[in-house]
Amino acid sequence: MKNFVFKNATEIIFGKNSERFIGSKVKKYADKILFCYGGGSIKKSGLYDRVVDSLKENEVEFIELSGIKPNPRLEPVREGIKLCRENNIKFVLSVGGGSAADTAKAIAVGVPYEGDVWDFFIGKAKVKEALPIGVIITLPATGTESSNNSVIMNEEGWLKKGIATGYIRPTFSIMNPELTFTLPAYQTACGAADIMAHIMERYFTNIKNVDLTDRLCEAAMKTIINNVEIVLKDPENYDARAEIMWTGTIAHNDLLSTGRIGDWASHQIEHELSGQNDIAHGAGLAIIFPAWMKYVYTHDINRFVQFAVRVWNVELAYTSYEDIALEGIKKTKEFFQKIGLPVTLKEGNIDESKIEEMADKCTNNGTQRVGQFVKLNKEDVINILNLAK
Amino acid sequence: MKNFVFKNATEIIFGKNSERFIGSKVKKYADKILFCYGGGSIKKSGLYDRVVDSLKENEVEFIELSGIKPNPRLEPVREGIKLCRENNIKFVLSVGGGSAADTAKAIAVGVPYEGDVWDFFIGKAKVKEALPIGVIITLPATGTESSNNSVIMNEEGWLKKGIATGYIRPTFSIMNPELTFTLPAYQTACGAADIMAHIMERYFTNIKNVDLTDRLCEAAMKTIINNVEIVLKDPENYDARAEIMWTGTIAHNDLLSTGRIGDWASHQIEHELSGQNDIAHGAGLAIIFPAWMKYVYTHDINRFVQFAVRVWNVELAYTSYEDIALEGIKKTKEFFQKIGLPVTLKEGNIDESKIEEMADKCTNNGTQRVGQFVKLNKEDVINILNLAK
């Protein structure tokens, strides 16, 4: 086990009707806030009205920043920063999915910074402060509700980049599984794939003797596997929705990283898919992860055997470790298929002629390697993308 | 799953040599602190000197409160409060096991309170503030390093009582598994039993659909089961010590309580054992828990079957759920025996003639019930203690 520092102070307010606390929670931090959200879904569901009522009841003024899209863009971030400065706003609230939250986080670091916020994303500046952030999350997927990450897309060059800093962990996150009842099946499945990927990125590590976190990862993966099919059949099953939602947070709140080094190559490769093709991030991960596994499993076959046996209950004879490992990978791919996700570039409508271009961007023109479990060069990325055809 | 609020902001600094950061960590909060510790073990191991050097290097003044005993007493708490007030001290550091930390926590709530600190423990007053606390923990057991609990013994009447409040979660906890290398086998085993008990208290719940936290609990229990025997044979095995230490924190940092209601009867009954007999808390739990299980398992046999199958790998035919459940209980008891703990009152040198007296105190003269999974009256407690003979 590696030495580590772990701190995650986000307050989670979880359960039925928990959004009714929003006004009183926000009021502790500010009288005037920026209120970020996406499209019409929170209006259609009535959530927008409940939030506005609660804010008004608690005499919290708000300026709105709406229309935030999936794969959140840089422009609304800049607009939000401007709004906060012009209106002397010191608190950012996001209501909706990961895109609204990631936008809020980027705004929160941008407001106190003199330069352009994109500087943080390209490593030109380091985050040293941020406004406090509150979140109501309606899509279990990115784990942004208590993570230290924000991923933003710069339309200039279609660059999708992330920052990671403790300053952007939300002060509080409100999570009501009922708010996920109306999620379409495809979005539910994409969220589940994203959650699985967050765990798998951490699971495949070269650090030895990480017994507890291995088992915690396996527990979280089994919870997703067992509950996502339930909600696809029965979208208003509160308990299964709640399991998925809470697992989505645990998957990415850094507990499962303690003492280990994750891989993250699949995420980096996927960013090129969703960066260039506007495919959902979770769907992109369902395509990339099984291909990545097939490409790297011989690097540590014991780990892939453990994954197959403990997560997928593979019970083949131990005469061939390779067979067991491959069976685990097969079951991973079948799981993504079963929940309705694409598992090949073709199924994801990804233009195969762009494989080299994607590999190029992913490795910064072949100058950088991606991943920690196996450090992949441009050639490796091309091979993985070819395996995903 | 039940609605819940979860927040745990303790910063964990985990790993080899992590205690070298103590001076700089403390300095962020105070220039003058109260430094609580137990007996000579931290002096013998050299830890005391390293802490003092680091404090001095960082120009942190300290007043010492030493000699804190296992089952920590109220008198040193009062003394510590006096010292803090007289010296205008605003930060409490504990170095050592759970007793030093629990003493530090009690001091931290006592200093800003006008009345007697025992008021909090008997429910006469409610904690509304506390000094910040820092911890270096050397015994993986109580989980106090990031819990909201403190348990103190009032020698007047040998009353062992606890408080639970977010105000006493340590600001930071430093955890170096190397500091546990010299723990005697018996103390190591008692710590493991305490950790197992913290998880089992949460595991046995009446709340349905708690899939993720069930699995996280099982992951944590399996980690203890698999690693404690390693360290008993090989006390300087860093990795196994690290697994136990980190699991000890996770077992009691409230993550495993999210969405569920734990039982805690065994802890309450055990407090009478260690309150009156000065037996180690972990040893008392090894005696009580299997007896409690035997007494209550029919209340929810499915849960005990899950426990047997998933935690203890019981593979009996599913012709009799009862047999499977009982086999899981048997394996729990055998585990405690195998690691060298007493599993009967006799083995623990507990005076059996005091059973009624203990049951009396535990249930407040028969007026209160203990436990949530099954609410036990005085008669039930007597029956459990008789099963533990």
Side-chain angles (χ1 to χ4, degrees), chain B residues 65-218:
Chain B
L65 177 73
S66 65
I68 295 160
K69 290 182 204 159
N71 289 323
R73 313 303 153 99
L74 181 57
E75 267 324 303
V77 172
R78 289 187 175 135
E79 197 186 326
I81 293 169
K82 207 165 147 253
L83 284 171
C84 286
R85 287 180 183 158
E86 284 170 3
N87 295 282
N88 194 26
I89 283 173
K90 304 287 185 212
F91 188 94
V92 191
L93 170 70
S94 85
V95 179
S99 299
D102 280 13
T103 300
K105 287 172 166 187
I107 293 168
V109 297
V111 173
Y113 175 62
E114 283 186 6
D116 179 36
V117 66
W118 191 245
D119 290 352
F120 295 121
F121 290 82
I122 54 173
K124 214 180 125 187
K126 221 185 139 202
V127 175
K128 284 179 193 148
E129 54 180 324
L131 302 187
I133 301 149
V135 170
I136 298 180
I137 201 83
T138 59
L139 175 63
T142 67
T144 191
E145 62 272 14
S146 95
S147 83
N148 63 352
N149 303 105
S150 166
V151 177
I152 297 292
M153 163 99 77
N154 188 343
E155 281 171 296
E156 226 174 273
W158 292 96
L159 288 167
K160 197 170 175 181
K161 297 268 179 196
I163 52 170
T165 160
Y167 290 104
I168 57 174
R169 279 196 212 277
T171 306
F172 65 81
S173 283
I174 288 179
M175 305 174 69
N176 176 359
E178 292 173 314
L179 299 176
T180 72
F181 284 177
T182 53
L183 279 177
Y186 187 71
Q187 248 184 302
T188 299
C190 284
D194 198 10
I195 296 167
M196 282 294 284
H198 287 155
I199 307 167
M200 293 190 294
E201 295 282 19
R202 292 172 163 93
Y203 192 74
F204 292 101
T205 182
N206 294 320
I207 305 294
K208 301 294 176 200
N209 302 105
V210 281
D211 196 11
L212 174 65
T213 43
D214 271 0
R215 289 181 190 277
L216 296 177
C217 286
E218 291 153 5

Side-chain angles (χ1 to χ4, degrees), chain A residues 48-123:
Chain A
Y48 173 86
D49 289 333
R50 294 203 296 285
V51 169
V52 164
D53 288 349
S54 178
L55 292 173
K56 285 184 177 165
E57 258 170 49
N58 289 277
E59 295 174 355
V60 176
E61 256 187 90
F62 56 90
I63 307 271
E64 297 190 26
L65 177 73
S66 64
I68 296 161
K69 290 183 203 158
N71 290 322
R73 311 303 155 101
L74 182 57
E75 266 324 305
V77 172
R78 290 188 174 134
E79 195 187 328
I81 293 168
K82 205 166 149 253
L83 284 171
C84 286
R85 287 182 182 156
E86 283 171 3
N87 295 281
N88 195 25
I89 283 174
K90 304 287 186 211
F91 188 95
V92 190
L93 171 69
S94 84
V95 179
S99 299
D102 279 13
T103 301
K105 287 173 164 185
I107 293 168
V109 298
V111 173
Y113 175 63
E114 284 185 7
D116 178 37
V117 66
W118 191 245
D119 289 353
F120 296 121
F121 291 82
I122 53 171

